[in-house]
Amino acid sequence: MRSMGGEQVAEAVAGAVALLRTATDRDWEAVPAGRLEWNCRYTAEHIAGDLIAYAGQLAGRATEAYVPFELTLDDGTDNEGVLHVIETTGALLAATVRTTPREIRAFHPYPFRSANREGFAAMGITEVLAHTHDIAEGLGLAYEPPAELCADVLARIFPHVQPGADPWRTLLWATGRGELPGRAPVTEWRWRNNLVIEAERLTLQGVAPAAATDLAAGGDGGFEWVEGGPFQGTRDAAGMLLKAYEAGVHRPEWGVFALVRREDGRAVGGMGFHGAPDEDGRVEIGYDLAEAARGHGYATEGLRALSAWALAREEVTSVFATTEPANLASQAVIVRAGFTRVAGDQEQLAYELRGPRG
């Protein structure tokens, strides 16, 4: 898996600036930026403003709101000067992403009020790619960023969007800027950073399709694992997530989570849902731990946190977990998490935790 970091931010900015520099002699204020109500000049300034805002969120460790500052260009700044500002703010975001620890998250309002360094990198890149497209369309320039870069963005902050054969056209469609055969036009859109659920000693960090791709292929998914991790069950779950993503039916909040220790940022296991809740409001949950992390109560803690999160949703009435009769350790985890046995035979035992609507 290619990491989403400062190198990709710099790549996006360099490609955008190189193209727009061929048209700095034009009057950008007189030309609408594609389908936007903004003109090309304002859109270029907007790119720079987003890049510095994202750098500020990460550098300032903002957790409740945006850092209260705004980018203002000097009077008389020409188009070339605007591009210099984009280059500068892009370099600042790239440097901030490179130097921010993986576990740091900062405020972003949608959808779960936070993002990590990869999320801010992906959001910054999306702003660059989408708005450079808008400006290029207004100025009559041909623009097509690298397909790999577009696929990287889609697999990180557009997990709900089925990937297509052409990542750039898919990204344009996902941001309301184009059409794809067989898909309805997008009139409103949002990206989706990963969900993180807080527990006492752990954070349960949603696994994006990009990370699932790497985990299923034998990689670390971008996580720093304890010795022996991840366990095979986590890799298998990542493979199922990837299949759902490729089929266009992946719902990120009902996917896979890495169990990450607060004390050292190391992943100790995986936990997640077998799919979205069924028509009766039932959802099944599964988990595993690396052998080196067993015996410390991490599975019980994670199961309690994820089950509580699920049961707080309007569409959920109960959470199920199953295990083999011989797996006494797993049975103990499920019972300690508050589940009650409801069925069983020689091959499988079923446990249930009901919520207030169950």
Side-chain angles (χ1 to χ4, degrees):
M1 179 187 71
R2 191 170 82 149
S3 63
M4 175 63 71
E7 180 181 342
Q8 285 69 45
V9 173
E11 179 184 10
V13 169
V17 169
L19 175 71
L20 298 180
R21 192 158 271 148
T22 66
T24 52
D25 59 337
R26 303 273 297 279
D27 183 356
W28 289 8
E29 293 186 359
V31 181
R35 306 180 186 187
L36 303 182
E37 296 180 358
W38 303 338
N39 62 45
C40 290
R41 168 63 181 242
Y42 181 87
T43 305
E45 294 180 6
H46 176 80
I47 293 173
D50 282 336
L51 292 171
I52 193 62
Y54 294 157
Q57 291 303 98
L58 280 178
R61 305 293 196 261
T63 58
E64 300 297 328
Y66 281 110
V67 178
F69 74 96
E70 186 173 322
L71 179 68
T72 303
L73 276 63
D74 291 343
D75 291 341
T77 301
D78 60 10
N79 292 338
E80 178 59 38
V82 175
L83 294 182
H84 190 195
V85 175
I86 291 175
E87 288 177 315
T88 302
T89 54
L92 289 171
L93 177 57
T96 305
V97 168
R98 291 188 185 104
T99 56
T100 298
R102 188 199 177 282
E103 290 303 299
I104 293 296
R105 298 187 72 85
F107 173 82
H108 187 277
Y110 189 85
F112 302 119
R113 298 184 65 81
S114 73
N116 63 9
R117 63 189 185 190
E118 288 201 350
F120 278 104
M123 290 188 289
I125 291 168
T126 301
E127 295 284 359
V128 171
L129 301 186
H131 289 314
T132 299
H133 163 80
D134 298 333
I135 299 170
E137 191 171 60
L139 297 174
L141 304 174
Y143 176 61
E144 182 153 352
E148 185 178 19
L149 188 61
C150 300
D152 286 344
V153 167
L154 287 166
R156 280 173 174 81
I157 59 171
F158 291 90
H160 54 295
V161 172
Q162 182 178 15
D166 187 329
W168 175 226
R169 301 297 178 274
T170 303
L171 182 59
L172 288 177
W173 171 83
T175 57
R177 289 171 168 80
E179 298 180 356
L180 282 180
R183 303 197 198 187
V186 173
T187 56
E188 295 184 2
W189 64 275
R190 293 281 190 179
W191 49 51
R192 298 181 69 87
N193 282 291
N194 65 324
L195 171 63
V196 174
I197 298 171
E198 304 286 343
E200 182 180 354
R201 295 172 298 164
L202 305 169
T203 58
L204 283 67
Q205 302 182 15
V207 174
T213 300
D214 191 55
L215 284 168
D220 59 17
F223 297 95
E224 186 176 351
W225 291 86
V226 296
E227 183 180 356
F231 205 64
Q232 187 59 42
T234 298
R235 297 197 187 280
D236 293 341
M240 290 188 288
L241 185 159
L242 184 58
K243 289 180 180 178
Y245 171 63
E246 292 172 343
V249 297
H250 175 50
R251 291 181 60 184
E253 63 270 35
W254 301 108
V256 181
F257 297 79
L259 306 180
V260 180
R261 285 194 307 220
R262 292 180 183 274
E263 65 181 34
D264 58 5
R266 290 181 176 270
V268 299
M271 184 171 291
F273 302 102
H274 291 196
D278 64 19
E279 59 184 14
D280 295 320
R282 302 189 305 175
V283 64
E284 185 173 353
I285 199 169
Y287 60 91
D288 69 12
L289 289 181
E291 291 187 9
R294 296 174 186 175
H296 300 283
Y298 294 135
T300 300
E301 181 179 327
L303 188 56
R304 285 173 178 162
L306 193 56
S307 299
W309 180 89
L311 291 171
R313 312 277 76 77
E314 287 290 337
E315 66 268 41
V316 176
T317 59
S318 61
V319 180
F320 277 80
T322 61
T323 187
E324 297 175 353
N327 193 340
L328 300 181
S330 181
Q331 294 169 41
V333 166
I334 295 171
V335 171
R336 283 196 299 269
F339 286 66
T340 300
R341 181 173 167 179
V342 293
D345 54 30
Q346 293 182 347
E347 295 184 356
Q348 194 173 70
L349 305 178
Y351 293 79
E352 180 185 38
L353 182 62
R354 301 188 71 83
R357 291 172 296 279

